[in-house]
Amino acid sequence: MDYIWLIPLFPLVGAIINGLLAPRLRLPEKLIGAIAALMITLSLMVSVMAVWQYAGWSHQAGNEGKPYIAEKFKYTWLPGGKAQITEGPQAGKELTDLNIEWSYQLDRLSSLYILFITFVGLLIHIYAIGYMHGEAGFARFFAYLNLFMFMMLTLVLSSNLLMLFVGWEGVGLCSYLLIGFYMTRAEAANASKKAFIINRIGDAGFLLATAAIFAALGSIQFTEVDRLLQSYQLEPLGSFGLMSWIALGLFIGAIGKSAQIPLYIWLPDAMAGPTPVSALIHAATMVTAGVFLLARMHSVFQHSLTVMLIVAFVGALTALLAASIAITQRDIKKVLAYSTVSQLGLMFLGCGVGAFTAAIFHVVTHAFFKAQLFLGAGSIGHALHHEQDLMRMGGLKKYLPTTYRTMQICWLAICGIVPFAGFWSKDEIFAATFTTPQFNAVRYLLWFIGLVTAALTAFYMTRMMSLAFEGNERFNSHSEPNATPIDQSANAGQSTEDGQTIADNHHSPAAHSANPQEGSALMRLPLLILAAGATVIGFIGIPGYSWIEHWLAPTFQMGTTEMAHPAMAVVVGVSVVSLVVALVAIMAAKNVYERKPEIADKLALNFGPLYKGSLNHWYWDSLIEGKFVQGFSQLCRLLWQGDLIVFDTIPNGTALLTKGSSLISRYFDYHGVDLIVNFTGLFLRFISVALRTAQTGFVNNYALIMILGLCLIILGLEYTAIVDIYHRIFPSAGSLPLPGLKST
Amino acid sequence: MLYQWFIPMLLQAQDVFPEAAAPGFLDRLTRAFSVVSINNFLFLSALLFTIGVAGVLTRRNIIVILMSIELILNAANLNLVAFSRYWQIQGGISPYTGQLFTIFIIVVAAAEAVIGLGILIALYRNRETVSVDEIDILKL
């Protein structure tokens, strides 16, 4: 099992190949998709092998619940030194050798995660090959997808909080890159920016909690944290001590990542990205990272009951709120997005009441059916030329049989109908909520909120299915269907509240000549496999013989709180109640949307303000946009003006100075240097004119000069002899060789 | 003019050349030139040399220039022969060295004359003239 470092490595290699090499080499689309899918397949195979081995290792006596840290791949990432614990009961204790390592940890929790991440990821990659056919930036898309898988796998296989944070930020980055994949569209760019910023707000809490853990315990390795916290005191309900602060910080991080109140608004907007992105990131993997964090740090949470209550309440309220928005949305992807937020709320509810196993179980089942629903919505959009308005669909079951059948399975799964997956996982959460020993009467309230959410979930999912697949075909008409007064005003309101219209990506009204058709086999196969998964995956958690409970129990038994083990009778009772509620909701929705749509309109009219509020996402977006974002933009604009005035004088002034100095230089150059140069030239010409006269071309002149020179040489050489001869001839001559003048 | 300038000038020559005004000047001159010493030959060779140089410098015809060069060379020859006859060195050069050197110079002069004439012919063929005045291509 020391090879588990390969699991994140394969997608990274795929990302590098597709990102850097494929555009240069202009690889064909099929090859790019094949490389990406192959990498994920390799990861999947290595994961299966690793988990198989781990299972064998872990079932040996004494290894129960112990995580396996890959010894051969331990790499000191941030070397530390001596440190002192400064907080908590062990304050003052000194520790040495605090190195933060980069090592991979495989335990019961992460093994489950890598299996479903790689499996669902692989299916979505295959789907995306068909879905993104012909898109510009095909290679870039798959590079980002593979990069995302690398980050997510790093996150789940990490052995300490900081390495988890690397993966955490990485998935946030990839989410940004992928939501904003259609770079040229303003709404996609805004949505990606919003997602990343809101994620970062949560990360502040995460980092503070990490620092606090480091200060209090001296280590951020998960194994160490679990071990050290065993000797810590429990903080009961009502008290808010150090552990509660840490847990709150971690929870804030999870809120940002998993879209709970109040940081959920990025998820519906994130639907501006391509559908495979929504399926992978915003249904199956990234948003479950928050739940993963809570499960990893369960010992911290189990020490702080106050924060557990906060988690449970936030989860429940989010679930209810999101469900209440989803029942009125017209965009199919927004319905699914709010459904995701709602289901995530249920997962947090499960964590909050101590039923971590149930929450993780729901994560796994949700990954399957939500991904399938998203892919199915993508398939519908693909068939209808990127139409996403539910009111413009209808009667598609005739044209898209595969999509219809598979989505039906997952619809039943999400509504919690036996024997599909959602039934088992949801009801496990509800049963745990109903019987949790952590809280007293409050748990009934939480359970009730969960029940109402289940009813609403069933209602809006059935509404979505009915509007999309049943009834009259509305996708060929150009006029607004269902033109009732409330709908008209709703339509008017829908496009102005937060400036977003229904995502109508490449919709051209005139292109509906052909009947809608299913996508290629590449798109249909994942739908089928995921639907099959959604059918059978629930069976790993049948109460009474819950395999997943046995698998995960040793991990979560480190805490001192008792795990909720509800009695069989309670479980059955709760399940039956929720099943009945779901069936009633389904039947009601079918009645309204398939047979008597006017009831919907009448209800909308009667509950006018509520309807409008729900349609406009309860105005949370406009509040934040209006108050914070606009104010901040104003400040930024002000600073920009200031920058223009103050800081731009420096470069401008420098430019003026440069101009002036260059003028002076030019003056000097022109009058000073050029003068000298020109004068030298003139002088040379003058000299040459003078010297030219010697070149007569007349040989006799040359000979004359030669002879004269010869005479001069002789004179010079024999000067004394010549003077002597002269004195002999003219003895009376003076010192000068001239005939002496009579001096007297 | 004759009386105001020329005769006083003649009279002034006495101041310049007092030896010439001394009595017996002409006698001494004659006596100097009655014995034939080496000086005579040297004077002659110098004269010939000067004439040759004057010819080289002044004449326009290339053939005359060549003849003048011959004259120069032969003046040198005369010089050498005179020294060979009159100048004795104790235990040094033999008395016939000058004459031997003269033979060499004659040969060289002949060869040079050949070449000179060759150049002359080539020049005439190209320029149709033997006057150095008209060969001034090197003039700037």
Side-chain angles (χ1 to χ4, degrees), chain A residues 691-692 695-705 707 710 726 729-733 739-742, chain B residues 14-19 49 53 55-60 65 72 132-140:
Chain A
L691 290 177
R692 205 180 297 154
Q695 307 292 327
T696 55
F698 193 42
V699 174
N700 291 8
N701 289 353
Y702 300 158
L704 173 67
I705 304 293
I707 303 292
L710 183 66
Y726 181 75
I729 301 176
F730 304 107
S732 65
L741 296 166
K742 261 220 182 117
Chain B
Q14 286 178 5
D15 300 329
V16 174
F17 291 104
E19 288 80 13
F49 187 85
V53 169
V56 165
L57 294 182
T58 350
R59 298 305 290 262
R60 278 182 305 164
I65 292 176
I72 293 169
V132 292
D133 280 3
E134 293 163 30
I135 305 167
D136 57 356
I137 307 172
L138 281 179
K139 182 183 170 74
L140 278 178

Side-chain angles (χ1 to χ4, degrees), chain A residues 322-536:
Chain A
S324 69
I325 299 177
I327 51 177
T328 52
Q329 294 301 306
R330 282 176 62 150
D331 185 347
I332 189 173
K333 281 177 79 170
K334 285 229 168 35
V335 172
L336 290 171
Y338 279 110
S339 161
T340 306
V341 176
S342 179
Q343 297 299 310
L344 286 168
L346 285 182
M347 291 175 214
F348 279 100
L349 174 62
C351 288
V353 297
F356 291 100
T357 318
I360 301 293
F361 183 29
H362 198 55
V363 164
V364 177
T365 56
H366 175 263
F368 276 91
F369 57 68
K370 190 49 69 63
Q372 203 283 334
L373 284 170
F374 265 109
L375 296 185
S379 175
I380 294 175
H382 191 79
L384 292 178
H385 305 281
H386 294 276
E387 178 61 74
Q388 282 177 273
D389 186 358
L390 278 170
M391 296 305 179
R392 289 212 198 100
M393 301 180 194
L396 285 172
K397 67 177 176 187
K398 199 165 52 164
Y399 302 103
L400 308 172
T402 317
T403 311
Y404 177 55
R405 293 284 165 220
T406 50
M407 279 184 84
Q408 266 196 325
I409 292 174
C410 293
W411 158 64
L412 290 174
I414 193 174
C415 293
I417 307 296
V418 68
F420 297 102
F423 170 73
W424 306 107
S425 57
K426 238 199 249 190
D427 289 323
E428 183 126 350
I429 294 180
F430 289 151
T433 315
F434 198 76
T435 60
T436 177
Q438 274 177 233
F439 317 125
N440 39 24
V442 131
R443 63 181 193 248
Y444 297 119
L445 174 65
L446 289 169
W447 170 77
F448 185 69
I449 295 177
L451 195 67
V452 172
T453 309
L456 286 173
T457 307
F459 187 83
Y460 67 68
M461 288 309 293
T462 316
R463 168 184 177 263
M464 184 186 92
M465 295 295 288
S466 308
L467 282 175
F469 291 106
E470 314 283 347
N472 305 322
E473 296 173 19
R474 294 184 295 271
F475 49 85
N476 276 327
S477 67
H478 300 291
S479 61
E480 273 302 314
N482 300 337
T484 58
I486 191 71
D487 265 0
Q488 272 176 342
S489 61
N491 295 342
Q494 184 152 26
S495 47
T496 57
E497 195 270 325
D498 44 10
Q500 295 170 353
T501 53
I502 301 162
D504 213 3
N505 302 350
H506 316 293
H507 177 54
S508 50
H512 283 165
S513 45
N515 278 335
Q517 279 176 342
E518 284 279 7
S520 57
L522 281 170
M523 284 171 63
R524 272 179 288 147
L525 186 70
L527 292 175
L528 290 165
I529 297 181
L530 281 172
T535 318
V536 302

Side-chain angles (χ1 to χ4, degrees), chain B residues 91-128:
Chain B
I93 302 170
S94 79
Y96 303 106
T97 308
Q99 298 173 23
L100 199 59
F101 202 31
T102 304
I103 306 284
F104 277 114
I105 291 184
I106 288 172
V107 172
V108 168
E112 184 211 325
V114 164
I115 293 170
L117 286 168
I119 292 176
L120 165 70
I121 303 244
L123 201 60
Y124 183 73
R125 284 213 189 111
N126 282 307
R127 299 280 164 207
E128 288 274 333

Side-chain angles (χ1 to χ4, degrees), chain A residues 14-51:
Chain A
I16 291 173
I17 293 178
N18 276 336
L20 298 174
L21 291 179
R24 264 168 228 274
L25 301 176
R26 291 182 200 279
L27 299 174
E29 275 185 4
K30 282 273 156 68
L31 186 60
I32 293 171
I35 290 173
L38 177 73
M39 291 300 160
I40 309 291
T41 317
L42 289 169
S43 272
L44 177 62
M45 293 191 316
V46 175
S47 307
V48 168
M49 210 156 59
V51 173

Side-chain angles (χ1 to χ4, degrees), chain A residues 165 168-169 194-210 246-260 262-263 266 293:
Chain A
F165 190 64
W168 188 269
E169 286 297 303
K194 193 174 185 178
F196 195 72
I197 292 177
I198 292 176
N199 240 304
R200 290 295 280 166
I201 296 175
D203 292 343
F206 187 106
L207 282 170
L208 287 171
T210 309
I246 296 175
L248 190 65
L250 291 171
F251 182 51
I252 291 175
I255 287 179
K257 187 66 83 182
S258 296
Q260 301 296 293
L263 300 175
W266 63 270
L293 179 70

Side-chain angles (χ1 to χ4, degrees), chain B residues 16-28:
Chain B
V16 174
F17 291 104
E19 288 80 13
F25 178 67
L26 279 167
D27 296 323
R28 279 204 292 279

